[in-house]
Amino acid sequence: MRVHKVTFAALAVAAGLALTACQNDDASTDQSKPTAAPAVTTAPSAPPAPSTSSATSTATSTATPKGTAAPAGSADGGKTGGKCRTDDLTITAVDRTIDGDAERTVVVELKNRSGHDCSLSGYAGVDLKTSAGTLSATRSGEPIVAGVVKSGKSTFFGITYPANKSGGSGVRITGVVVTPPDETKPVTLPWPGAATLPVTEGGGTPVKIGPMGSAGQGN
């Protein structure tokens, strides 16, 4: 019986060692296998903040552009094309005498045909061509008013002169020469008024003119 107990104890010890060895082998085997990396959840990244230079470029590109300055040399902001020249105008003259007036009247029309607005003010030069030579008109003394003649529109001034009531011969008028204000190029027109002027003593000039705008179509 003692031999059996020893043998049983030895078997128990051997069995225990064998079980321990098996457990160690299993542990070694498990350790030799690669260990999977733990899963990592990454939060979505926020968009990067714009750099200072980018923000500056955006602000610059969306800024409201400044207004365009008027062309140089145009004191009125480009609204007119300067002074009206003779070649800018169609000049005509018509009789506008009203019955009962002490003086007779011829109205001169200056129509802007330039295609742009232009300024025209002051007194024109007016010379009557007569049988006795050239007779220059004198200014009436009315105040000058600055004005702009729009494209296609007109301004007017009047020529006044006395009627020839002598019943005899007088100074025969053959034409009228008109030079616009601030111009040197004249235009010669047929004379639409009375055929003669009375002869005046002392050689004075009985013909007077008003400034631009001093007469109209109905005057």
Side-chain angles (χ1 to χ4, degrees):
M1 292 295 293
R2 183 177 181 83
V3 175
H4 289 291
K5 288 184 180 179
V6 173
T7 303
F8 180 78
L11 290 173
V13 172
L17 293 173
L19 179 60
T20 303
C22 289
Q23 290 177 348
N24 290 337
D25 291 342
D26 291 341
S28 299
T29 304
D30 292 339
Q31 290 177 359
S32 65
K33 294 181 181 180
T35 303
V40 179
T41 303
T42 304
S45 300
S51 64
T52 304
S53 60
S54 175
T56 303
S57 300
T58 302
T60 303
S61 62
T62 56
T64 302
K66 295 182 179 180
T68 304
S74 178
D76 55 1
K79 293 180 181 178
T80 70
K83 293 183 179 296
C84 299
R85 300 303 180 189
T86 302
D87 291 339
D88 295 333
L89 304 168
T90 298
I91 303 175
T92 55
V94 294
D95 186 14
R96 285 289 184 262
T97 299
I98 299 175
D99 292 341
D101 284 355
E103 295 182 313
R104 301 183 66 89
T105 302
V106 167
V107 171
V108 178
E109 176 183 3
L110 300 93
K111 184 175 183 179
N112 181 2
R113 65 180 182 188
S114 67
H116 55 77
D117 299 354
C118 59
S119 61
L120 190 63
S121 59
Y123 284 86
V126 174
D127 298 308
L128 297 185
K129 298 173 70 174
T130 74
S131 56
T134 299
L135 180 64
S136 296
T138 59
R139 298 179 178 184
S140 65
E142 297 174 66
I144 295 173
V145 178
V148 173
V149 184
K150 293 186 176 298
S151 177
K153 300 299 182 180
S154 301
T155 188
F156 305 84
F157 72 91
I159 303 172
T160 57
Y161 61 100
N164 183 7
K165 299 179 180 179
S166 64
S169 62
V171 178
R172 186 168 57 88
I173 305 172
T174 60
V176 57
V177 181
V178 177
T179 306
D182 302 316
E183 260 286 30
T184 57
K185 183 178 181 179
V187 174
T188 301
L189 307 172
W191 175 249
T196 60
L197 289 172
V199 176
T200 58
E201 296 181 0
T205 302
V207 182
K208 296 185 181 297
I209 58 171
M212 293 293 137
S214 61
Q217 287 179 308
N219 294 340

